[in-house]
Amino acid sequence: MVDSSYYLMVATFMPLILSPVVYFLGRRKGINITTWLTFGILAISTTLVIIPCIDLGSGGSYQEIFDWSQLGHFGLKLDGLSIPFAITIYLLSTVIVIYSKPYMVRKILIQFDQLKHSKSTTDSSYYDDAESELYSAKDGKSMSSLVPTTDQKSYLNEQLGLYYSLYLVFAMGMLGTVLATNLFEFYVFFELMLVPSFFLIAFFGYGKRRRTSLMFFFWAHVGAVIMLLGLMAMGFLSGGFDYDVVKANVSQIPSAWIAVIVAALIIGFAVKLGAFLVHIWLPDTYTDAPTPITVLISSAMTGIGAYGLIRIWIDLLSGPGNYSDYAIYINIWGLITMIYGGAMALMQKDIKRVLAYSSISSMGYLLFGIGSESVLGISGAIFMYVTHALGKGLLFMMVGAVILQTGTRNMDKLGGLGGKMPYTAVFAMIGGLTIIGVPITSGFMSEWVLFNGALQNAVVDWSSLKAVSFALAISATILTSAYILWMYKRIFYGVVPETLKNVRESSKYVLITMGILASLTLILGLYPDLLYKPIIAYVENLYDESPNELKPVKIGAASSQNNNQTNTTLGNGASEEQSGGVNNVTNTLGTPQTQKTHLISGNHLVSYVTI
């Protein structure tokens, strides 16, 4: 459905347009007006994204198309793939605005004190302020009892205004990437989310933050340039950069170019995901970035690489063999990433570093699902983006709460905080169980569907390689449980160190925001169809509907033409797309021995193979 409304246009560009206002108001009016104005902007924008989703139900699409340039049309589109990504990005960004206030006040005040004494330091860019006890609550006093000096207040107002203005542009860049309907538009937004995140790390990070921000920018930009080469080749060889044009003319792309394009896309998006071998930037970035920004990078931005693989590679390049020829390699790459990230997480003593390697492992799950060649595997990977955002967001917020209250993130210096910070401990446990995949959290529903799809594909193909890959992936969940529970034990159980006897519970800003994410992961665990219905409707439309194929397992050559959509060409070259919902689908292979049943009923998603 193409609509004349401007919900998505306003939701996307309002944060960008108002970001200078936030900065200047912050300098003049103080931190409260800055915080709540930023929150209001993103809350309104989030609402504008959700409104069209309500009308779509379990299928179809909503898009806003505008004349742009010779490169095609500028468009913003919501469908079964972009809905979970868009809502997660803006909902998380809105919540983290409130969480940022106490955390960034402490961080900026520490930087102010360090700048005053920087003349005695040879390297002014190096601050180990993660271990600073300044302005922490370990003495039992709250940050609200602090009365800053005139100089501190002036510096605080300016820096927090700068932080929130960059924050708004960062959120806007992420949203635009997942709503784009044009290859060039996609690239512009993809790079736009990189620039503010670079400055947020360089200005407000920890340790060697300038070095870390440059390394982050270098890796992300190189990956984006490699991806751009693939996007340019797709656009020029298909005769246009609009998604609809590329998908309609994909057969015109010479077969010799397909391998080059696919390789460029996979490498570019794998860098964004932080997959094994191209993950070098990720541990230091997650560790040295300010914790609220780490939450957004880990929970929202990194997973956009998975979005790109599904949208640009699987959806647009849906010609013969373009996906199936490479899927098994993506599947194995994801498996290696899962195991590597989990093993490395067990070796860390810095909480943020544990969660950094945990994020690498989680991105392996997404790659594993994307390479599963099944509706359920890909659908589970998309849903796992949401559950990873909620679970990992909670855990990184726990790290920030611990830093605020104790002044350290070194697990060797922590212990017994469960009695001192009980609500934080409960919310952190919910986040940990989400990452592990325990019922009734949303993590269970994502892993259940993802692994179900991978197993079905192995059984239907009678592939020993895929069966072994599935078995190893299931075993990797043991690593996930090990590092999550080991980290939790060291922080919240045991004897409280003498230096932390006066530590008390986190502030209301921290607890309320953590409570929101904890509630969401439980709600989606109980009602996964809220997102699974549009997701599976979208993924099924990627697959060949031939009765001779096992639809949820194999992508056929004609999947781009034979889908369950109605396309009406408009005067401006745009198309109106509507796809049906998903109810009850049964498909049978050419032989009567194997039958696959895929059922969505009520609040439960059931899928199995019978031989």
Side-chain angles (χ1 to χ4, degrees), residues 105-181:
V105 166
R106 174 186 182 269
K107 181 70 183 65
I108 292 169
L109 289 176
I110 290 176
Q111 284 190 190
F112 176 81
D113 289 346
Q114 290 168 335
L115 287 173
K116 286 178 61 178
H117 300 91
S118 61
K119 293 181 180 180
S120 61
T121 304
T122 56
D123 182 8
S124 61
S125 68
Y126 182 79
Y127 300 122
D128 192 18
D129 46 9
E131 297 297 330
S132 175
E133 297 177 359
L134 289 170
Y135 308 108
S136 68
K138 65 184 296 182
D139 58 357
K141 295 181 180 179
S142 170
M143 281 289 294
S144 60
S145 63
L146 176 68
V147 180
T149 64
T150 302
D151 290 342
Q152 284 179 323
K153 187 175 181 180
S154 176
Y155 183 80
L156 180 62
N157 290 346
E158 180 179 1
Q159 291 300 302
L160 200 62
L162 177 61
Y163 168 82
Y164 278 128
S165 61
L166 290 171
Y167 185 100
L168 286 171
V169 180
F170 183 29
M172 171 264 187
M174 290 189 289
L175 181 73
T177 304
V178 301
L179 296 182
T181 62

Side-chain angles (χ1 to χ4, degrees), residues 44-80:
I44 294 172
S45 299
T46 303
T47 303
L48 292 175
V49 170
I50 293 175
I51 289 174
C53 299
I54 297 173
D55 295 333
L56 292 180
S58 61
S61 65
Y62 169 92
Q63 54 184 330
E64 299 168 5
I65 303 294
F66 306 92
D67 290 331
W68 191 19
S69 67
Q70 294 180 346
L71 294 173
H73 297 84
F74 181 92
L76 300 168
K77 179 178 180 179
L78 283 171
D79 60 8

Side-chain angles (χ1 to χ4, degrees), residues 189-200:
F189 281 119
F190 196 84
E191 288 282 50
L192 185 58
M193 68 180 170
L194 170 62
V195 176
S197 55
F198 162 77
F199 284 114
L200 285 165

Side-chain angles (χ1 to χ4, degrees), residues 400-531:
V402 169
I403 293 174
L404 275 173
Q405 303 307 112
T406 67
T408 184
R409 62 184 191 225
N410 187 335
M411 289 188 290
D412 291 340
K413 299 179 182 180
L414 298 171
L417 293 182
K420 300 289 184 179
M421 305 168 64
Y423 294 109
T424 302
V426 170
F427 294 143
M429 176 54 77
I430 294 174
L433 294 178
T434 300
I435 298 301
I436 294 171
V438 175
I440 55 174
T441 66
S442 59
F444 171 75
M445 292 308 303
S446 61
E447 290 189 17
W448 172 262
V449 174
L450 187 154
F451 286 128
N452 201 339
L455 177 59
Q456 286 179 0
N457 184 245
V459 171
V460 169
D461 280 359
W462 292 104
S463 169
S464 57
L465 177 60
K466 292 179 180 179
V468 171
S469 176
F470 167 78
L472 291 174
I474 286 289
S475 301
T477 61
I478 299 174
L479 274 176
T480 304
S481 303
Y483 67 71
I484 291 292
L485 297 177
W486 171 77
M487 175 191 69
Y488 191 87
K489 175 183 178 295
R490 295 187 67 183
I491 298 171
F492 294 105
Y493 284 87
V495 179
V496 180
E498 194 64 34
T499 55
L500 303 180
K501 292 292 185 182
N502 294 323
V503 166
R504 65 179 193 173
E505 186 57 275
S506 306
S507 72
K508 60 184 179 181
Y509 291 98
V510 173
L511 294 179
I512 291 174
T513 50
M514 291 183 73
I516 292 172
L517 296 192
S519 301
L520 288 174
T521 190
L522 295 177
I523 290 171
L524 287 177
L526 293 171
Y527 301 98
D529 280 3
L530 291 172
L531 291 179

Side-chain angles (χ1 to χ4, degrees), residues 9-22:
M9 181 65 75
V10 174
T12 303
F13 287 100
M14 183 167 65
L16 176 66
I17 295 171
L18 294 181
S19 59
V21 177
V22 169

